[in-house]
Amino acid sequence: MSDVRVNPPSVRAYGTTAQEAFGSIRTSLETMVSDAVSVDYYGPNAVDFKTKCGQLATDLANALTTDMTKIADAVKTTTSNIAGALGGPPGDIQFNRSQISAPAVPTGDESVGANLPALEGMKGTAKSHFTAISEQFTNHLTSLQNTDWVGTAKDNAVGAVTGFTNAAKSKVEEANTEMTTFIDKQIEEINKANK
């Protein structure tokens, strides 16, 4: 039989760190959605472009919120079970689980235009958000691994959270590629028309 040990202050500290990480992920997602629809590009094609970028960002945001919920629920169940068996209080990770929506893209007047450096810069802006989100997921997993908690329950929790974390990071990478490809295509179309 293996050792089973849970240090409640360590697990509570992890819970606080997890809440901060999930809050930071959500802030990055909300900012990315806002950035996607506010780039300096206007006219009917720009409305379609911004709507699509906003949808890409919100789809990712809501998929990651689902992943964070799965992570939080897996950790809550495991930590609460083992803590209860050893006479400790249940664990919980609180964060904003509501869906994120893209702001409406204003139709504007009949003028059209695009700031190509702003469109090009949007790829870097999006990538920095995607990178920050992936890092927060990695940091969260590391924080769970580093808790002063020993036993099969922790191993199972870490295994489950590793799976959810890898899935979330894959979604982030796919969304980054899709967003970059979409922006490049739009820039290419504008440049072709501008010859």
Coordinates of all heavy atoms in Angstrom, one line a residue, residues 92-136:
D92 N -12.0 23.5 -4.1 CA -12.8 24.0 -5.2 C -12.0 25.1 -5.9 O -11.3 25.8 -5.3 CB -14.1 24.6 -4.6 CG -15.2 24.8 -5.7 OD1 -15.0 24.4 -6.9 OD2 -16.2 25.4 -5.4
I93 N -12.2 25.2 -7.2 CA -11.6 26.2 -8.0 C -12.8 27.1 -8.6 O -13.5 26.6 -9.4 CB -10.8 25.7 -9.1 CG1 -9.6 24.8 -8.6 CG2 -10.2 26.8 -10.0 CD1 -8.9 24.0 -9.6
Q94 N -12.8 28.3 -8.2 CA -13.9 29.2 -8.7 C -13.3 30.1 -9.8 O -12.2 30.6 -9.7 CB -14.4 30.1 -7.6 CG -15.0 29.4 -6.4 CD -16.3 28.7 -6.8 OE1 -17.1 29.3 -7.6 NE2 -16.6 27.5 -6.3
F95 N -14.0 30.2 -10.9 CA -13.7 31.1 -12.0 C -14.9 31.4 -12.8 O -15.9 30.7 -12.7 CB -12.5 30.6 -12.8 CG -12.9 29.4 -13.7 CD1 -13.2 29.5 -15.0 CD2 -12.9 28.1 -13.1 CE1 -13.6 28.4 -15.8 CE2 -13.2 27.0 -13.9 CZ -13.6 27.2 -15.2
N96 N -14.8 32.4 -13.6 CA -16.0 32.8 -14.5 C -16.1 31.8 -15.6 O -15.3 31.7 -16.5 CB -15.7 34.2 -15.0 CG -16.9 34.7 -15.8 OD1 -17.8 34.0 -16.2 ND2 -16.9 36.0 -16.1
R97 N -17.2 31.0 -15.5 CA -17.5 30.0 -16.5 C -18.4 30.4 -17.6 O -18.8 29.6 -18.4 CB -18.0 28.7 -15.8 CG -17.0 28.2 -14.8 CD -17.6 27.0 -14.0 NE -16.7 26.6 -12.9 CZ -16.5 25.4 -12.5 NH1 -17.1 24.4 -13.1 NH2 -15.7 25.1 -11.6
S98 N -18.8 31.7 -17.6 CA -19.8 32.1 -18.6 C -19.2 32.2 -20.0 O -18.0 32.3 -20.2 CB -20.4 33.5 -18.2 OG -19.3 34.5 -18.3
Q99 N -20.0 32.1 -21.0 CA -19.6 32.1 -22.4 C -19.1 33.5 -22.7 O -19.6 34.5 -22.2 CB -20.8 31.7 -23.3 CG -21.3 30.3 -23.1 CD -20.4 29.3 -23.7 OE1 -20.2 29.2 -24.9 NE2 -19.7 28.5 -22.9
I100 N -18.2 33.6 -23.6 CA -17.6 34.9 -24.1 C -18.2 35.1 -25.5 O -18.3 34.3 -26.3 CB -16.1 34.8 -24.2 CG1 -15.5 34.7 -22.8 CG2 -15.5 36.1 -24.9 CD1 -14.0 34.5 -22.8
S101 N -18.7 36.4 -25.7 CA -19.3 36.7 -27.0 C -18.5 37.8 -27.6 O -18.0 38.7 -26.9 CB -20.7 37.2 -26.8 OG -21.5 36.2 -26.2
A102 N -18.4 37.8 -28.9 CA -17.7 38.9 -29.6 C -18.6 40.1 -29.7 O -19.8 40.0 -29.8 CB -17.4 38.4 -31.1
P103 N -18.0 41.3 -29.5 CA -18.8 42.5 -29.6 C -19.3 42.6 -31.0 O -18.7 42.1 -32.0 CB -17.9 43.6 -29.2 CG -16.5 43.1 -29.3 CD -16.6 41.6 -29.2
A104 N -20.4 43.3 -31.2 CA -21.0 43.5 -32.6 C -20.0 44.3 -33.4 O -19.4 45.3 -32.9 CB -22.3 44.2 -32.5
V105 N -19.8 44.0 -34.6 CA -18.9 44.7 -35.5 C -19.7 45.8 -36.2 O -20.7 45.6 -36.8 CB -18.4 43.8 -36.6 CG1 -17.5 44.6 -37.6 CG2 -17.6 42.6 -36.0
P106 N -19.3 47.1 -35.9 CA -20.1 48.2 -36.5 C -20.0 48.2 -38.1 O -19.0 47.9 -38.6 CB -19.4 49.4 -36.0 CG -18.1 49.0 -35.4 CD -18.2 47.5 -35.2
T107 N -21.2 48.4 -38.7 CA -21.2 48.4 -40.2 C -20.5 49.7 -40.7 O -20.0 49.6 -41.8 CB -22.6 48.3 -40.7 OG1 -23.4 49.4 -40.1 CG2 -23.2 47.0 -40.3
G108 N -20.5 50.8 -40.0 CA -19.9 52.0 -40.5 C -20.6 52.7 -41.6 O -21.8 52.3 -41.9
D109 N -20.0 53.6 -42.2 CA -20.6 54.3 -43.3 C -20.3 53.5 -44.6 O -19.9 52.4 -44.5 CB -20.2 55.8 -43.4 CG -18.7 55.9 -43.4 OD1 -18.0 55.0 -43.8 OD2 -18.2 57.0 -43.0
E110 N -20.4 54.2 -45.7 CA -20.1 53.4 -47.0 C -18.6 53.4 -47.3 O -18.2 52.8 -48.4 CB -20.9 54.0 -48.1 CG -22.4 53.8 -47.9 CD -23.2 54.4 -49.0 OE1 -22.7 54.8 -50.1 OE2 -24.5 54.5 -48.8
S111 N -17.8 54.1 -46.6 CA -16.3 54.1 -46.9 C -15.7 52.8 -46.7 O -16.2 52.0 -45.9 CB -15.6 55.3 -46.1 OG -15.8 55.0 -44.8
V112 N -14.6 52.5 -47.4 CA -13.9 51.3 -47.3 C -12.4 51.6 -47.1 O -11.9 52.6 -47.6 CB -14.1 50.3 -48.5 CG1 -15.5 49.9 -48.5 CG2 -13.7 51.0 -49.8
G113 N -11.7 50.8 -46.4 CA -10.3 51.0 -46.2 C -9.6 49.9 -45.3 O -10.3 49.3 -44.6
A114 N -8.3 49.8 -45.5 CA -7.6 48.9 -44.6 C -6.2 49.4 -44.3 O -5.5 50.0 -45.2 CB -7.5 47.6 -45.3
N115 N -5.9 49.3 -43.1 CA -4.5 49.7 -42.6 C -3.7 48.3 -42.6 O -3.9 47.5 -41.7 CB -4.6 50.3 -41.2 CG -3.2 50.6 -40.7 OD1 -2.2 50.0 -40.9 ND2 -3.1 51.7 -40.0
L116 N -3.0 48.1 -43.7 CA -2.3 46.8 -43.9 C -1.3 46.5 -42.8 O -1.2 45.4 -42.3 CB -1.6 46.8 -45.3 CG -2.6 46.7 -46.4 CD1 -1.8 46.7 -47.8 CD2 -3.5 45.5 -46.4
P117 N -0.5 47.5 -42.3 CA 0.3 47.2 -41.1 C -0.5 46.8 -39.9 O 0.0 45.9 -39.1 CB 1.1 48.5 -40.9 CG 1.1 49.2 -42.2 CD -0.2 48.9 -42.8
A118 N -1.7 47.4 -39.7 CA -2.5 47.0 -38.6 C -3.0 45.5 -38.7 O -3.0 44.7 -37.8 CB -3.7 47.9 -38.4
L119 N -3.4 45.2 -40.0 CA -3.8 43.8 -40.3 C -2.7 42.8 -40.0 O -2.8 41.8 -39.4 CB -4.3 43.7 -41.7 CG -5.8 44.1 -41.9 CD1 -6.1 44.0 -43.4 CD2 -6.7 43.2 -41.1
E120 N -1.5 43.2 -40.6 CA -0.3 42.3 -40.4 C 0.0 42.2 -38.9 O 0.4 41.2 -38.4 CB 0.9 42.9 -41.1 CG 2.1 42.1 -41.2 CD 2.0 40.8 -41.9 OE1 1.4 40.8 -43.0 OE2 2.6 39.8 -41.5
G121 N -0.1 43.4 -38.2 CA 0.3 43.4 -36.7 C -0.7 42.5 -35.9 O -0.4 42.1 -34.8
M122 N -1.9 42.3 -36.5 CA -2.9 41.6 -35.8 C -2.5 40.1 -35.6 O -2.8 39.5 -34.6 CB -4.2 41.6 -36.5 CG -5.4 41.0 -35.8 SD -6.9 41.3 -36.7 CE -7.9 40.0 -36.2
K123 N -1.6 39.6 -36.5 CA -1.1 38.2 -36.4 C -0.2 38.1 -35.1 O -0.3 37.2 -34.4 CB -0.3 37.8 -37.6 CG -1.2 37.7 -38.9 CD -0.4 37.0 -40.0 CE 0.8 37.9 -40.4 NZ 1.4 37.4 -41.7
G124 N 0.6 39.2 -35.0 CA 1.5 39.2 -33.8 C 0.7 39.3 -32.5 O 1.0 38.7 -31.5
T125 N -0.3 40.2 -32.5 CA -1.1 40.4 -31.4 C -1.8 39.1 -31.0 O -1.8 38.7 -29.8 CB -2.2 41.5 -31.7 OG1 -1.5 42.7 -32.0 CG2 -3.1 41.7 -30.5
A126 N -2.4 38.5 -32.0 CA -3.1 37.2 -31.7 C -2.2 36.2 -31.2 O -2.4 35.5 -30.2 CB -3.8 36.7 -33.0
K127 N -1.0 36.1 -31.8 CA 0.0 35.1 -31.4 C 0.4 35.3 -29.9 O 0.6 34.4 -29.2 CB 1.2 35.1 -32.3 CG 2.2 34.0 -31.9 CD 3.3 33.8 -33.0 CE 4.3 32.8 -32.6 NZ 3.8 31.5 -32.3
S128 N 0.6 36.6 -29.5 CA 1.0 36.9 -28.2 C -0.1 36.4 -27.2 O 0.2 35.9 -26.1 CB 1.4 38.3 -27.9 OG 0.2 39.2 -28.0
H129 N -1.4 36.6 -27.6 CA -2.5 36.1 -26.7 C -2.4 34.6 -26.7 O -2.6 34.0 -25.6 CB -3.8 36.6 -27.3 CG -4.1 38.0 -27.1 ND1 -4.0 38.7 -25.9 CD2 -4.5 39.0 -28.0 CE1 -4.3 40.0 -26.1 NE2 -4.6 40.2 -27.4
F130 N -2.3 33.9 -27.8 CA -2.2 32.5 -27.8 C -1.1 31.9 -27.0 O -1.3 31.0 -26.3 CB -2.1 32.0 -29.3 CG -3.3 32.2 -30.1 CD1 -3.2 32.8 -31.4 CD2 -4.6 31.8 -29.7 CE1 -4.3 33.0 -32.2 CE2 -5.7 32.0 -30.5 CZ -5.6 32.6 -31.7
T131 N 0.1 32.6 -27.1 CA 1.2 32.1 -26.3 C 1.0 32.3 -24.8 O 1.3 31.4 -24.0 CB 2.5 32.9 -26.8 OG1 2.7 32.7 -28.2 CG2 3.7 32.5 -26.0
A132 N 0.4 33.4 -24.4 CA 0.1 33.6 -23.0 C -0.8 32.6 -22.5 O -0.7 32.1 -21.4 CB -0.4 35.1 -22.8
I133 N -1.9 32.3 -23.3 CA -2.9 31.3 -22.9 C -2.2 29.9 -22.7 O -2.5 29.3 -21.7 CB -4.0 31.3 -23.9 CG1 -4.8 32.6 -23.8 CG2 -4.9 30.1 -23.6 CD1 -5.7 32.8 -25.0
S134 N -1.4 29.5 -23.6 CA -0.7 28.2 -23.5 C 0.2 28.2 -22.3 O 0.2 27.2 -21.6 CB 0.1 27.9 -24.8 OG -0.7 27.5 -25.8
E135 N 0.9 29.2 -22.1 CA 1.8 29.3 -20.9 C 1.0 29.2 -19.6 O 1.4 28.5 -18.7 CB 2.6 30.6 -20.9 CG 3.7 30.6 -21.9 CD 4.5 31.9 -22.0 OE1 4.1 32.9 -21.3 OE2 5.4 32.0 -22.9
Q136 N -0.2 29.8 -19.5 CA -1.0 29.7 -18.3 C -1.5 28.3 -18.1 O -1.5 27.8 -16.9 CB -2.2 30.7 -18.4 CG -1.8 32.1 -18.2 CD -1.3 32.5 -16.8 OE1 -1.5 31.7 -15.9 NE2 -0.6 33.6 -16.7

